[in-house]
Amino acid sequence: MNQYFSQKVNSFHDRETPEEGTLVGYSFLINLLEKEYLQSLPLPDQLAIVTEKHQRYNTKYWQVFTKRHKPKDNIGSHLVFALKYEGIDLFLLKTFFKYSGERQIIELMKKEPTGQYARRLWFLYEWLMGQRLQIADLKTGSYVELLNSKLQYPGLTINSTRHRIKNNLPGVPEFCPLIKRTEKLEQFRAKGLSSTIEKGLSKQDKELVRRTAAFLLLKDSRASFAIEGEYPPSLRARNWGKAIGQAGKKELSILEIERLQHLVIGSKKLKNMGIRKNEGFIGEHDRETLSPIPDHISAKVQDLPILMAGLMETNRLLEKANYDPVLAAATIAFGFVFIHPLSDGNGRIHRYIIHHILAKSGYAKREMIFPVSTAILERIGEYQNILESHSHPRLDLIKWKETPDHNLKIHNETIDLYRYYDLTPQAEFLYECVEDTIIRIIPEELDYLKKYDRMSYLINEQVTLPDNKVDLLIKLLIQNSGTLSKAKRQKEFSELTTEELMKIEMDYKEIWGK
């Protein structure tokens, strides 16, 4: 054991350290667990080392602490260091508790019976393990917040009189991802994006806003299918668009998710609709052997009732806590898609949940749906990376075998992989999409309709054409930078004189500025 306390490293898990240092906090626990019990663990985005120097700084992958920060040579000190400087990592803590047992916590509480970090670890052990330790309830001492709100975003505060702890975790034991308080997220939150869109829409004609919203609904529906590589008939896309338009009106529940799946799938129903009855994965099959090649493995079927109940309870808890709506949407929507509870339709319902939470919280006004799928489609590579950055490190922790029907069967306990993790990258990505939707996509669509209406008025003022031909003419002018090709004129608009067409093209350039 002593070699772990004194071991100096220049790299860890292929992450080169900024300088030679000693692993501390979670990096120490990961090293210990992997050397003694496990092959690998998913790494936090940042790990910590202590160096012999007196400079404290951060890099992308490392927090570098000075030698005065170095924990004592015992595991309890490293647990305290992790909570104090790195925040709470529920998955790593529970994994450590599983292998270390209760001894570390009991010893820590004997040494520091009223210590704030000892109490936090005691609470976390009982909360995560569902086990009451042989430690008497505290009768004195001030309450301390469990989660450091300077490091991570807290949820609703619920006092635990036994531990004299203010439990402010943004979730329940059955499902509780966490999000770090980063500079990027704080900048997004400070922009007041919700009020920005509200102010912008209040200045617009109501009929224009209504038409813009209707178009964006259909556009977002098509984008959500396109993300999945599907291009459904217009009627199916419109029906899903209508469902998105109702987001926020019904409570999120298992029954509601199953109803939405029927709308997503359309008339070609699956053999087993609703919550999965079989294991599942996202990926491919080997061309020759048909063996699964997973990019993401869905949660075990037997774990789905617990995970989905936890997802719904955390959603209710975040609503009560007035949790930042975009962070709440990231928590529940990405949590849903990582669990992957359905045989098909998970991706589209995952994006529907974003709409639902933003609408229900009042962040997105009902008269203007956020076309977030449109923003995601434009960032499809980044979106896939965000999903894979979560899934790929966890594949090595899931032990599975191929089934006769070329599916897979999971043989180890994996439930914690789907309920305890850091969602900071996903939250930052979603905030980027929300900002792009508010600052660019919605205003561009409003501007387009204004220009379209003006152009339509000028065309009708000069010539008499059916509405569908006016629409076609404007679209052809847009496609060809303001001019109508000779071929299109002869085929579609032979009734227009040269003078009429020249005037229309001049009007177009004046309106569109090109």
Side-chain angles (χ1 to χ4, degrees), residues 15 20 51 106 111 168 181 198 215 234 261 285 316 350 359 365 410 467 501:
R15 289 188 189 181
E20 186 180 68
T51 72
I106 292 174
K111 288 180 185 176
N168 57 352
R181 191 182 289 272
E198 189 173 358
F215 180 82
S234 286
Q261 187 194 29
H285 289 89
R316 287 188 284 272
H350 145 72
K365 303 307 172 189
I410 301 168
D467 289 345
L501 182 56

Side-chain angles (χ1 to χ4, degrees), residues 106-119:
I106 292 174
E107 286 181 2
L108 199 58
M109 284 299 295
K110 283 180 180 177
K111 288 180 185 176
E112 305 176 43
T114 59
Q116 59 171 303
Y117 290 103
R119 280 189 281 153

Side-chain angles (χ1 to χ4, degrees), residues 377-394:
L377 184 59
E378 293 178 3
R379 293 172 166 79
I380 190 66
E382 188 182 350
Y383 179 58
Q384 290 168 342
N385 290 339
I386 283 291
L387 295 173
E388 290 171 2
S389 68
H390 173 89
S391 299
H392 283 186
R394 287 159 177 76

Side-chain angles (χ1 to χ4, degrees), residues 450-506:
K450 283 181 185 176
K451 289 175 176 176
Y452 175 92
D453 288 351
R454 177 64 179 157
M455 190 68 211
S456 180
Y457 172 80
L458 291 176
I459 290 172
N460 285 321
E461 199 175 43
Q462 297 175 65
V463 297
T464 302
L465 291 173
D467 289 345
N468 64 328
K469 293 206 74 173
V470 172
D471 181 60
L472 177 62
L473 178 54
I474 294 172
K475 287 177 179 176
L476 291 173
L477 289 169
I478 291 171
Q479 290 173 8
N480 205 37
S481 302
T483 60
L484 188 66
S485 70
K486 187 177 180 180
K488 291 292 183 184
R489 180 185 174 185
Q490 290 175 349
K491 183 178 179 182
E492 304 286 354
F493 298 98
S494 58
E495 67 268 42
L496 295 181
T497 66
T498 302
E499 290 76 16
E500 288 169 341
L501 182 56
M502 286 178 62
K503 179 65 169 63
I504 289 170
E505 290 175 343
M506 285 176 62

Side-chain angles (χ1 to χ4, degrees), residues 411-466:
H411 290 279
N412 64 322
E413 186 62 52
T414 62
I415 190 169
D416 291 337
L417 293 172
Y418 300 91
R419 56 183 174 183
Y420 305 137
Y421 42 82
D422 178 72
L423 260 178
T424 307
Q426 289 76 20
E428 290 181 340
F429 172 78
L430 182 56
Y431 243 123
E432 287 174 359
C433 292
V434 168
E435 182 185 48
D436 191 36
T437 297
I438 292 170
I439 301 301
R440 182 182 64 85
I441 294 175
I442 293 175
E444 279 183 358
E445 188 54 39
L446 283 164
D447 183 61
Y448 172 85
L449 284 181
K450 283 181 185 176
K451 289 175 176 176
Y452 175 92
D453 288 351
R454 177 64 179 157
M455 190 68 211
S456 180
Y457 172 80
L458 291 176
I459 290 172
N460 285 321
E461 199 175 43
Q462 297 175 65
V463 297
T464 302
L465 291 173

